[in-house]
Amino acid sequence: MKATRLRAAGLAVALLGALVAGTPASAAPDTTATPTTIDCTTDPATPKRQFRAMWIASVVNIDWPTKASQTAPDRIASQQAEYLGWLDLAQQLNHNAVVVQVRPTADAFWPSPYEPWSEYLTGVRGQDPGWDPLAFLVTEAHKRNLEFHAWFNPYRISMPAPGGAGADIAKLAPDHPARQHPEWTFAYPPAGVAGSRLYYNPGLPEVREFVQTAMMDAVQRYDIDGVHFDDYFYPYPSGTHQVPDDATFAAHHRGFTDKADWRRDNINLLVREMGDRIKAAKPWVKFGVSPFGIWRNKSVDPLGSDTTGSQSYDIISADTRKWIKEEWIDYVVPQLYWYIGQYPAADYARLVPWWAEQVRGTRVQLYIGQADYKSGEPAYGSYWMNPRELSDHLTLNRSYPEVLGNVHFSAVQVKANRLGATDIYAAEHYSRPALPPTMTHLPAKPLLHPVVTRTERSADGVRLHWWQPADGQGPLGTATSYAVYRFDGDGPVDACDFADAAHLVGTVRADQVAGAQSWLDETATPGATYTYAVTALDRLWNESAPSPVRVVR
């Protein structure tokens, strides 16, 4: 694999050597500060920065919580244990985030003053589950230093019968806003047609205001790291049935004469306004969308991709390219659920460069949605019977520096590991931890480097202890977590040793209560000599200079 060159600008790594609070482990010798601008050779297989996550879907109990947990005698404990299992998997795969669906059908996984409790917690629409799932979800993700992205569906109200309420408003929870305001809703396809379900009408200003307020309740009350939408805006077409919004268009056209343009503007308003509200409330919370993988085809629009599949711009009124160019979102995760090969409708190898071109020159970050659910499933064709297909996707991504990560759909499919595909891409691409990419347009303050005060060697490994000087005081930022680097031997360490993740052994959430920090390196070989350094990270993963190094013999 050809190595890449990384320019490390402004990396003032003061490896100062001798430390305070001597211990039996010796301090490293003094070194000189490295240059502030250097060229480093890095390994593309171990990137320092890469967003890695899986979707954890709650709708119809796809991933979490399971349907079986709803009737368990210890339901709350069962559901909590299931979720912790998904976090275990995320850690095993060196992921650094989870994307969890907390508002699947105009309901809530938290005690919302606006919407009923989700049926996917108890099996009963609107039933209080007896605990606050969202608080638990966020807290436990943060304990493992995983970002928590709250996944919301803006307009979907119900799933089709018989499992869901279908088009019958009377089957919704008794206090559901849709029952109080049936004029806010429409059924699509029409009631009585297979697959019919209820949606909030995106063309109504009061609906747009309401769904934003309902979602912002979670943003304001919980310490989430991101707000995440998927690809459900206007409903996907069903046969020849038309969305019943003629009267809405007549009453709220805002000067538009073309209904398709008006629908797109309705969704544009939702995305732009939601982004503005998030940043007004919490400027550090990221806003991302995971659209259908084709914006438009080049045969229809010269700005489109070399594809022939369905176009989200036209069929669900999602002008995702505009959201990128206007920088209304912080990241985009196109669902590129196709294989690499001669597939003219949507070849993965054609779509990745198109999306890379769209984000180029913008501050919007590009992650790719991966179809783990197709791997090893014969129904999706022979290409998906290749155990290396997903790993080949991630290898192809390396050719495009704009691709900064991946999100895998979905958790149960990642765990299934059919054909050993998960093992393959994890070994080839996620072998080391990685920090999420920084977002330089979001607020940040400089961090002081930590100071390692002592080390302890035991049968369990090497434990490091450190403290964070002047944490969050004055013009300085607050350390939310820490990255730990380990180098073999006691030789010199320079800035290039921090340029990729080859020496990154872990990250740990800051203990804001104790003040003093510690971490156990369980992978340390007994008797081996190591050199350690620790960096501080704020909640947006901006990194301090490394601590003075510490040698453990």
Side-chain angles (χ1 to χ4, degrees), residues 106-129:
D107 49 11
F109 273 60
W110 71 97
S112 168
Y114 301 101
E115 295 182 305
W117 283 105
S118 177
E119 65 186 282
Y120 304 117
L121 289 164
T122 64
V124 179
R125 297 177 192 116
Q127 184 176 96
D128 187 335

Side-chain angles (χ1 to χ4, degrees), residues 218-275:
V219 176
Q220 291 164 331
R221 292 171 55 195
Y222 297 88
D223 190 25
I224 66 174
D225 301 289
V227 169
H228 185 92
F229 289 173
D230 58 17
D231 56 321
Y232 287 96
F233 296 103
Y234 274 88
Y236 279 90
S238 176
T240 59
H241 300 294
Q242 300 299 308
V243 172
D245 61 354
D246 286 348
T248 310
F249 179 49
H252 302 283
H253 57 76
R254 298 189 303 280
F256 282 93
T257 56
D258 181 87
K259 187 190 288 186
D261 289 340
W262 169 75
R263 285 178 179 166
R264 276 186 290 274
D265 193 60
N266 291 332
I267 306 303
N268 289 344
L269 288 170
L270 169 76
V271 172
R272 188 183 71 195
E273 292 171 2
M274 189 67 187

Side-chain angles (χ1 to χ4, degrees), residues 136-404:
F136 180 83
L137 299 176
V138 174
T139 297
E140 293 300 322
H142 285 171
K143 283 182 181 178
R144 297 163 188 247
N145 211 27
L146 297 167
E147 278 198 337
F148 185 91
H149 291 239
W151 169 14
F152 303 94
N153 294 86
Y155 294 121
R156 183 173 62 199
I157 297 175
S158 65
M159 295 298 287
D168 190 349
I169 285 182
K171 290 183 178 179
L172 299 176
D175 60 345
H176 201 294
R179 296 185 71 163
Q180 300 164 19
H181 297 280
E183 72 280 6
W184 287 3
T185 74
F186 60 72
Y188 186 85
V193 175
S196 179
R197 65 185 82 183
L198 293 167
Y199 294 87
Y200 281 127
N201 187 340
L204 293 173
E206 56 269 37
V207 162
R208 194 171 70 248
E209 167 66 23
F210 172 77
V211 298
Q212 290 178 36
T213 298
M215 294 184 288
M216 283 301 301
D217 181 61
V219 176
Q220 291 164 331
R221 292 171 55 195
Y222 297 88
D223 190 25
I224 66 174
D225 301 289
V227 169
H228 185 92
F229 289 173
D230 58 17
D231 56 321
Y232 287 96
F233 296 103
Y234 274 88
Y236 279 90
S238 176
T240 59
H241 300 294
Q242 300 299 308
V243 172
D245 61 354
D246 286 348
T248 310
F249 179 49
H252 302 283
H253 57 76
R254 298 189 303 280
F256 282 93
T257 56
D258 181 87
K259 187 190 288 186
D261 289 340
W262 169 75
R263 285 178 179 166
R264 276 186 290 274
D265 193 60
N266 291 332
I267 306 303
N268 289 344
L269 288 170
L270 169 76
V271 172
R272 188 183 71 195
E273 292 171 2
M274 189 67 187
D276 288 345
R277 291 181 69 167
I278 292 167
K279 292 300 187 287
K282 294 183 176 179
W284 59 89
V285 172
K286 304 170 184 178
F287 181 32
V289 179
S290 177
F292 181 75
I294 299 174
W295 172 70
R296 298 199 91 187
N297 298 314
K298 187 165 63 175
S299 59
V300 174
D301 188 323
L303 296 175
S305 52
D306 186 13
T307 50
T308 61
S310 298
Q311 306 170 109
S312 61
Y313 178 94
D314 299 283
I315 64 171
I316 56 173
S317 306
D319 191 356
T320 48
R321 184 177 182 275
K322 183 179 183 67
W323 308 343
I324 292 169
K325 298 303 183 182
E326 297 290 341
E327 298 182 336
W328 293 340
I329 55 179
D330 297 305
Y331 69 86
V332 64
V333 193
Q335 298 173 25
L336 301 192
Y337 294 168
W338 301 286
Y339 56 78
I340 298 172
Q342 298 303 312
Y343 182 50
D347 184 343
Y348 184 91
R350 295 180 182 179
L351 280 161
V352 169
W354 185 86
W355 283 99
E357 182 182 355
Q358 305 319 302
V359 302
R360 193 172 300 138
T362 76
R363 67 188 191 192
V364 178
Q365 294 186 352
L366 172 63
Y367 319 139
I368 304 298
Q370 300 293 343
D372 288 53
Y373 73 96
K374 288 187 174 180
S375 181
E377 287 290 352
Y380 294 112
S382 61
Y383 282 88
W384 290 105
M385 298 308 294
N386 173 9
R388 296 195 52 81
E389 180 66 26
L390 287 170
S391 189
D392 289 346
H393 287 197
L394 274 58
T395 300
L396 186 148
N397 291 355
R398 293 179 186 170
S399 300
Y400 301 92
E402 294 83 6
V403 180
L404 297 178

